[in-house]
Amino acid sequence: MCGLVGVIGDDNLRDEIFLGLHKLEYRGYDSAGIGYIDGGICTIKCVGGVDKLQSITHAINSKVCIAHTRWATHGGPSVINCHPHVSAGKSVCIVHNGIIENCDYLKNKYNINCVSDTDTEIVATLIEIKYLRTKDKLQSINEVINELKGSFALAILFDGDNSIYFARNISPLLIGFGKDKMYLCSDVLGMPNASKYIDLPNLSYGYITLSDYKVYHNGSIANCNIVDVGIDYTSASLGDYPHYMLKEIYEIPKVLKDTISYYVKNTKLVNRIKECVHRINKVVLIACGTSYHACLMGEKFFNEMGYLAYSCIASEFVYDSIPIDKNTLCILVSQSGETADTISALAKCKKAHCKTLCITNVVSSTIAKNCKIVMPIKCGPEIAVASTKAYNAQVLAMYVLQYIFKNKKLSTLHTHINKLIKLLDVSVIEKQSIKYIKHILSAKNIIMIGKNADYVSALEASLKFKEISYISSTALPCGELKHGTLALVDEDTLVIVFDTISKLRDKTSNIISQIKSRGGKILVISNKENNAANYMIALPNIKERFLPLVSVIPMQLISYKTCVACGYNPDKPRNLAKSVTVE
Ligand code: F6R
């Protein structure tokens, strides 16, 4: 979703700001813009990519610059709606991540006419109005944020001032310290030349200059920790891969290894998780999209152990009446840790005094900061919008929880994962998958089915496939096919069958017969040969109970290959954002 970056420095501002904007592109956006001061406030904006913006930005003669990638919410993608927004009197310029929920109320209250459809422009004019009265920039910002409802990370320029002012509530915002530059950014990846940073506290505001910064909360100085960036930026760069998505699929074995090794070493965290076991009678797993599918896998593990366990889609959970209380363990799963629906769900869990545990790839995220127990997955930055390696690691985290809850040794799980990694050669799966792209592209209907854990893999496969190939597909449990969707099956239908559970194989074979007798073609993804299949992708020969960790890899690769064959960019699917920070 939207990305925000600001830089202060004596030189190279153009290079620095575009470096940051390029690094934020992965979040998904539809327009981009920059603002700076050169004899008054200047802005350059365009609909489309950062490259386009760069090509129309010839020089930045300014010591300060703020910039933004916008993912349209209030008002469509247009130059007028693109950030930065400038106040009515042209003295204040802002970029904003988040949503101002009471923007219409404020427009009426202050009788402000905006030229854009956004919820941001009003904030620039409101700061200007307050500043004209108070003549105090910080006081004006504080007064404005006290009136705003919703979420915001704001970078603010005042004409004639070489500082960048800021304010934040809910949406993340960081101050970065570089060698001869200061940064403000919504995401640590957007300031690769910063070596240290401050994660600004909620409802803080303040400013940065080239040599100083001040952070306030309600009129008083706020104490902030300066921490090392500690990111290996090579893991956020493409290397020899054509796309991040492919790179990230190839990273799955390493991610599984790093994640399990982390838990084997981190006995303190494991002991904290163990403490939960005795005091809970229900487990609720909550997430969105791909992370929700990891929850569905976890639900099965908890059910097997005799717990009442439910998976909930975060945006539904908020309005559900599912009973939760202090004896409920709420497991929130979020790669980014910034998904607005999951954050709202977490607020509900906390209000009901539930125990909260999150599984996340970003330990400094809002969700991590607000959960009692944080279970990291060790993926490194996931840049492609479509989540791949994070899903496999989230499912591994569910195995880790199962071992802890059963009081089994994690070293045993470690041994199993090491064996799995030795047998998992992504390039072998890729070679098999490529063969079927032409059948996928010629099918009129694509249906994915499976039983039990295989159904969860089918759901995740179908989501991955549709989000980057833009080809419709549906996923359902094998047994459900005959209750309606079978009507779609004809000679132009391809049914992708996940078949990894030996005790259910007979039932799955029945379904395959029903499909074949109606002319449908079958692609089986399995660790065992299947003579009834038209096409087959063999999974590595690993222990059956660990197949859920790998069974979606063929469809991650097929989705990728189909997308590329169609000429689309798999890293930035249309209409989607990496981190969905609005409800
Ligand atoms: C799909 C995908 C999304 C995310 C969902 C939740 O490939 O990436 O469905 O899984 O938006 O995001 P997180 O896990 O960051 O909360």
Side-chain angles (χ1 to χ4, degrees):
M1 266 196 163
C2 302
L4 166 172
V5 59
V7 186
I8 304 186
D10 285 328
D11 52 17
N12 279 341
L13 236 57
R14 183 178 178 277
D15 292 351
E16 283 292 319
I17 207 84
F18 280 102
L19 179 65
L21 280 177
H22 279 297
K23 294 285 178 197
L24 294 176
E25 281 187 284
Y26 79 96
R27 300 169 67 88
Y29 69 105
D30 40 51
S31 51
I34 60 168
Y36 53 94
I37 301 172
D38 182 7
I41 284 175
C42 309
T43 61
I44 305 173
K45 318 192 213 183
C46 72
V47 174
V50 172
D51 279 338
K52 186 173 164 194
L53 181 70
Q54 196 162 4
S55 72
I56 56 172
T57 306
H58 302 297
I60 300 175
N61 296 317
S62 176
K63 305 258 183 229
V64 282
C65 185
I66 57 176
H68 193 257
T69 49
R70 175 174 188 257
W71 189 82
T73 54
H74 285 58
S78 69
V79 171
I80 282 193
N81 290 334
C82 180
H83 299 212
H85 288 281
V86 180
S87 59
K90 310 264 178 283
S91 68
V92 176
C93 172
I94 67 170
V95 292
H96 165 220
N97 283 0
I99 286 198
I100 308 300
E101 284 164 8
N102 59 341
C103 67
D104 289 338
Y105 165 81
L106 292 170
K107 277 182 199 168
N108 284 335
K109 179 174 171 190
Y110 289 94
N111 196 19
I112 295 173
N113 287 322
C114 291
V115 289
S116 72
D117 301 321
T118 65
D119 53 333
T120 300
E121 190 186 340
I122 167 85
V123 182
T125 300
L126 212 47
I127 293 173
E128 182 176 71
I129 292 172
K130 303 272 185 191
Y131 180 55
L132 285 173
R133 180 177 53 78
T134 62
K135 305 282 182 250
D136 182 325
K137 290 165 187 162
L138 289 169
Q139 186 186 336
S140 314
I141 292 169
N142 191 24
E143 284 184 18
V144 170
I145 64 175
N146 282 327
E147 288 202 54
L148 299 181
K149 287 211 169 91
S151 56
F152 50 85
L154 293 165
I156 308 156
L157 295 181
F158 285 88
D159 190 13
D161 188 334
N162 281 340
S163 318
I164 303 178
Y165 292 77
F166 62 81
R168 81 153 283 212
N169 180 40
I170 303 172
S171 304
L173 192 60
L174 318 170
I175 295 177
F177 301 85
K179 201 161 137 254
D180 52 4
K181 303 267 182 310
M182 286 284 273
Y183 305 88
L184 198 65
C185 198
S186 51
D187 180 333
V188 75
L189 290 179
M191 39 185 198
N193 290 330
S195 53
K196 294 183 182 298
Y197 74 95
I198 290 174
D199 187 354
L200 288 164
N202 230 15
L203 282 173
S204 62
Y205 62 98
Y207 63 85
I208 57 171
T209 66
L210 186 52
S211 54
D212 194 15
Y213 69 92
K214 286 277 181 302
V215 184
Y216 298 88
H217 180 267
N218 263 342
S220 312
I221 289 275
N223 287 327
C224 300
N225 291 333
I226 301 181
V227 293
D228 287 336
V229 167
I231 283 192
D232 171 11
Y233 281 100
T234 50
S235 62
S237 55
L238 263 179
D240 291 335
Y241 288 92
H243 298 102
Y244 282 103
M245 185 174 177
L246 187 63
K247 175 176 184 258
E248 288 163 6
I249 297 170
Y250 268 86
E251 283 171 352
I252 290 168
K254 178 178 179 333
V255 160
L256 296 178
K257 187 173 192 306
D258 292 350
T259 301
I260 186 61
S261 305
Y262 176 83
Y263 286 97
V264 170
K265 284 185 207 133
N266 205 327
T267 40
K268 210 166 146 197
L269 172 59
V270 171
N271 287 337
R272 287 196 63 212
I273 300 170
K274 264 187 195 154
E275 283 167 25
C276 287
V277 179
H278 308 295
R279 285 177 275 136
I280 58 159
N281 55 23
K282 194 192 299 165
V283 179
V284 179
L285 302 110
I286 309 158
C288 308
T290 289
S291 299
Y292 169 69
H293 297 148
C295 291
L296 289 172
M297 211 57 102
E299 174 190 303
K300 301 209 175 295
F301 296 173
F302 280 104
N303 284 336
E304 276 168 23
M305 291 188 281
Y307 285 94
L308 279 178
Y310 307 92
S311 295
C312 302
I313 292 174
S315 55
E316 288 294 306
F317 171 80
V318 174
Y319 307 101
D320 265 355
S321 46
I322 176 166
I324 50 172
D325 59 26
K326 65 179 179 24
N327 296 319
T328 308
L329 173 64
C330 292
I331 301 179
L332 296 110
V333 183
S334 175
Q335 185 281 129
S336 64
E338 297 296 347
T339 301
D341 289 326
T342 313
I343 293 173
S344 300
L346 172 57
K348 178 172 168 178
C349 302
K350 290 179 77 166
K351 204 165 163 209
H353 306 290
C354 304
K355 295 179 179 58
T356 54
L357 178 153
C358 71
I359 297 173
T360 184
N361 196 27
V362 186
V363 291
S364 57
S365 62
T366 306
I367 291 176
K369 275 190 235 151
N370 287 288
C371 275
K372 198 129 185 87
I373 299 178
V374 180
M375 281 186 74
I377 46 170
K378 305 304 274 181
C379 293
E382 192 180 61
I383 305 291
V385 166
S387 186
T388 53
K389 61 178 178 176
Y391 172 76
N392 304 70
Q394 287 164 347
V395 174
L396 176 56
M398 297 298 174
Y399 282 94
V400 170
L401 280 175
Q402 192 186 41
Y403 267 66
I404 296 174
F405 271 63
K406 281 182 157 177
N407 213 6
K408 283 171 77 176
K409 281 192 182 143
L410 280 179
S411 54
T412 315
L413 180 60
H414 196 194
T415 309
H416 287 303
I417 300 301
N418 280 342
K419 282 188 191 155
L420 177 155
I421 291 165
K422 283 204 181 101
L423 295 166
L424 173 60
D425 184 340
V426 176
S427 67
V428 170
I429 303 180
E430 186 184 1
K431 275 188 206 110
Q432 298 182 69
S433 310
I434 296 171
K435 292 191 283 187
Y436 304 125
I437 305 302
K438 57 178 185 296
H439 302 298
I440 299 256
L441 286 171
S442 61
K444 195 176 71 189
N445 294 312
I446 296 185
I447 301 172
M448 306 194 196
I449 59 172
K451 290 187 84 66
N452 200 275
D454 281 337
Y455 165 52
V456 179
S457 300
L459 281 171
E460 173 53 14
S462 171
L463 176 65
K464 210 70 1 182
F465 181 70
K466 67 187 130 194
E467 76 174 308
I468 60 164
S469 72
Y470 316 148
I471 298 171
S472 178
S473 83
T474 184
L476 65 168
C478 290
E480 270 298 286
L481 197 62
K482 59 188 176 296
H483 295 290
T485 310
L486 194 60
L488 290 177
V489 174
D490 61 12
E491 314 67 59
D492 298 322
T493 302
L494 178 68
V495 182
I496 299 172
V497 184
F498 288 82
D499 182 25
T500 70
I501 306 169
S502 46
K503 67 174 186 222
L504 302 176
R505 203 148 270 146
D506 289 347
K507 294 269 180 226
T508 307
S509 295
N510 292 344
I511 311 292
I512 292 178
S513 307
Q514 289 168 22
I515 297 163
K516 287 195 82 176
S517 61
R518 282 150 185 95
K521 305 285 180 302
I522 305 279
L523 164 60
V524 168
I525 297 175
S526 178
N527 52 334
K528 290 273 175 313
E529 265 305 314
N530 189 316
N531 295 332
N534 300 89
Y535 322 115
M536 170 89 209
I537 296 178
L539 291 169
N541 189 19
I542 61 175
K543 265 193 186 304
E544 184 174 313
R545 80 189 133 103
F546 295 112
L547 282 168
L549 284 168
V550 301
S551 48
V552 84
I553 296 176
M555 280 312 296
Q556 290 172 333
L557 286 161
I558 285 184
S559 305
Y560 169 79
K561 295 279 172 193
T562 309
C563 170
V564 173
C566 293
Y568 308 131
N569 181 350
D571 290 342
K572 292 179 203 148
R574 68 184 182 204
N575 306 338
L576 299 180
K578 181 69 186 159
S579 169
V580 185
T581 50
V582 293
E583 281 181 58

